[in-house]
Amino acid sequence: MMSCNRSVRRVAGWLAGSVVLLAAAAPAANYSRVCEPQIKPAFLPLPPGAVEPAGWLRDWAVAARQGITGHLDEYHLTFRDGWKGISIAVPGGEANGAGWPLEQCAYWLDGALRLGFILHDEALVQKIRARLDPVVDGVNKADFGTSLIYWRKGYKPEGFNGWAHSQLGRAMVALYLGSGDKRVLDALVKVYADYPSAMGKVPLVQCEVTGLCNLDAMLETYSLSGDRRILDRALAAMAQPEVVRDIRDWAKGSLPPGHMVVIYEDIRLPALVYPWSGDQRQLQATLGAVKWLDQNHMLPYGVASGEEFASGVGALRKTETCDVTAMLLTSSWMYRIQGDGDWGDRMERAFFNAGAAPIARDFKTMCYYQSPNRLRADSLPCEQPHSPGPAGTHFHQLGCPSVLCCVGAVNRIIPNYVIHMWMATRDDGLAATLYGPSTVNALAGPRVPVRLTTTTDYPFDENIRIKIEPQQQVAFPLYVRIPGWCQQAEIRVNGDPLPSRPDDNRFVKIARTWSAGDVVELKFPMAPRILRGFETEFPTADRGYFAFEPPAVFKPRRFPYASVLYGPLLFALPIADVDPNTPVKDARWQFALDVPRCQEAAGGKPRGGEALASGISVQRRSMPAHWDWPLDSPLRLTAPAQAFDWKPSDAQALPERPVTGDTRETIRLVPYGCTKFRISMFPVAAP
Ligand SMILES: [Zn+2]
């Protein structure tokens, strides 16, 4: 079934920041694992730290370090004391040190550790290791079959604790990959070689989190260790009759509209097991679930709605910040398995838009929910508190202070994007999988160290320059992704143009012998696009959960909206802010997008609900010296609009049909991620 050659195992590791080699003897590909599945995933991830952010992206990552990610343990007991095996006097905390804090604190530990690796910030890595190493030691000193909750002797995590366990499992895998510390892998093997295969189900109803999410860390542990007991348990977990029943209809695009974090975490599980099981139906189940999200709950910033349940489409529908994190994680796994550049497009859309909006510019406060249109700091509807009430859209040091998942999960967004910007390929090449400024140190060809420096202001600019510096002259293929929205990409190597027609996975392969100083230049011309769709009713699943009223929100509806995209960016009409919780007074935002005038003279067929918009113009200025998602954006669009008397309510955010405005005007739009208050889902003006 799978190739696994333990006798030639060679594991060599260096500390964070340098390349970790985990490879069998030739002919195994660079970065392949001790055990590889029969169905080979397309990409091999590089260890955390191989890719380092640069330029504007580094500014943002450093802000995270100086803000919430670097200091969350100073803000709340949950993060100060989680995973210490002591009782924490907080909501949901159990006397035995388990419960809610384990989940929330694991999110933070995982994100902060990864941020430390990508920034090569030894102080941050050591700070998090001081929390994780005692868990590693605790497990290694305990009897075989303990869990990461090692202080509870003989305990097998179940229910919520199983879910929390899965989250720390991922942090442990990152710790091993980033440090090469064998004791960490020993601990993971000790835990997962005796982990119960009945670890959870995936019903996607209510808010039921599942311990089945341990499959991420389990399969990583197996591929890194070759301990067959782990694979047997993982395969048995997905073969449980209840689980098979739960996922039976996913391939047909039929899922219960459950809790969105749980949906995003659960839907990848069949695909995760598929390379090992060879069961195509598992891959199809995940792909069907993704399609279901696209068709029913996707918002223009690239992440589905979730208040807390799947909430349909609407301009005031909300997305929990945990959903952004989970979406990116699931997409990175799918990208790795399938190698399809469409996953890169999806991740960029989510990261550059939904990743930035819920975080303050200084990364010192964040909010639990974002919504495409944000007109006030307290969540609508205030008069009927729900999910979890008006604090949900308020920026605070802890997000929503009574529910700490999002302030934990937000720390994973930047490092998980950066880690996946470059991946290794099966033919010993390297692939540019997600764009942005970075430096990567990786092995290519016959294990030759190569440094690739990507200089770009992407996505705020369309030019990308990659300088290649191999330690010695070396032949290897370099794969570059051509974004799906890009019509006429240009590729040059040392100034000479190359054909830019992508393969079926939307990559162009550049196979040649590389010398120090070679330069690949990419140009991805961007053009404004209009995305059109409809506000839909709320699914009824969450009707009882937060007593959501009024009943009208559940009545079938199809109210038109239009959004503006440019490259991977969603654009919004900004409402200037005094601070993230205070919009300026008297801002004008009551506009319908004049779609007919936007599309004057635009050619081409709409693609996926999107059409080119020649009536929108672009203004570009140089980037600021320091990047903090400024409202005074270096990139702006000007679009035709019509002013009209618009009175959105939480029951109905958009007019029922296209409107005829009082005056024709021009509005200026900036990237959605630069705004704190905004309109990004517009009513549509009538022809
Ligand atoms: Zn959350």
Side-chain angles (χ1 to χ4, degrees), residues 71-82 84 88-91 100-101 104-105 108 131 396-398 400-404 407:
H71 297 279
L72 194 50
D73 55 331
E74 298 157 30
Y75 297 175
H76 197 273
L77 286 179
T78 288
F79 305 100
R80 192 192 74 182
D81 290 341
K84 289 182 179 172
I88 308 172
V90 294
W100 225 2
Q104 298 162 347
C105 187
W108 170 64
R131 300 289 296 278
H396 183 276
Q397 206 176 33
L398 294 170
C400 176
S402 57
V403 189
L404 301 176
V407 76

Side-chain angles (χ1 to χ4, degrees), residues 261 320-322 368 405-406:
V261 182
E320 188 183 338
T321 302
C322 285
Y368 188 99
C405 51
C406 289

Side-chain angles (χ1 to χ4, degrees), residues 464-505:
I464 297 170
R465 184 177 189 275
I466 305 168
K467 189 165 87 178
I468 295 138
E469 295 170 288
Q471 204 174 66
Q472 66 202 56
Q473 225 179 41
V474 59
F476 67 89
L478 184 78
Y479 293 82
V480 295
R481 174 182 129 253
I482 308 296
W485 45 259
C486 179
Q487 304 286 334
Q488 300 218 300
E490 294 172 29
I491 304 175
R492 287 172 191 275
V493 176
N494 298 333
D496 297 330
L498 287 188
S500 64
R501 194 184 171 80
D503 63 17
D504 289 349
N505 279 338

Side-chain angles (χ1 to χ4, degrees), residues 416-439:
N416 274 336
Y417 183 86
V418 171
I419 288 167
H420 293 98
M421 287 173 83
W422 286 88
M423 289 197 264
T425 59
R426 293 273 158 196
D427 52 1
D428 291 335
L430 293 167
T433 36
L434 301 168
Y435 290 111
S438 73
T439 304

Side-chain angles (χ1 to χ4, degrees), residues 163 166-167 170 202 204 210 212-217 219 238 247 250 255 261-275 282-283 285-287 289-290 293 325-334 337 343 412:
W163 159 264
S166 76
Q167 303 297 331
R170 287 177 216 167
V202 284
L204 299 185
T210 177
L212 213 55
C213 287
N214 279 283
L215 285 173
D216 289 68
L219 290 168
M238 278 310 282
I247 68 172
W250 292 9
L255 282 83
V261 182
V262 178
I263 290 173
Y264 267 128
E265 283 270 351
D266 289 8
I267 61 173
R268 76 166 167 276
L269 298 174
L272 220 103
V273 172
Y274 150 73
Q282 292 178 321
L283 177 64
T286 298
L287 295 177
V290 169
L293 282 176
T325 306
M327 179 279 177
L328 286 168
L329 182 74
T330 287
S331 302
S332 69
W333 266 107
M334 296 305 292
I337 291 166
W343 293 109
R412 289 169 147 177

Side-chain angles (χ1 to χ4, degrees), residues 86-110:
I86 58 175
S87 170
I88 308 172
V90 294
E94 296 172 14
N96 53 33
W100 225 2
L102 289 189
E103 173 212 29
Q104 298 162 347
C105 187
Y107 291 162
W108 170 64
L109 290 168
D110 180 52

Side-chain angles (χ1 to χ4, degrees), residues 56 59-60 63 359-363 623-632 673-674 676:
W56 74 262
D59 288 344
W60 195 26
I359 305 163
R361 297 186 182 97
D362 60 6
F363 222 113
M623 289 285 279
H626 175 83
W627 181 256
D628 67 352
W629 295 96
L631 205 56
D632 187 18
C674 292
K676 293 301 162 221

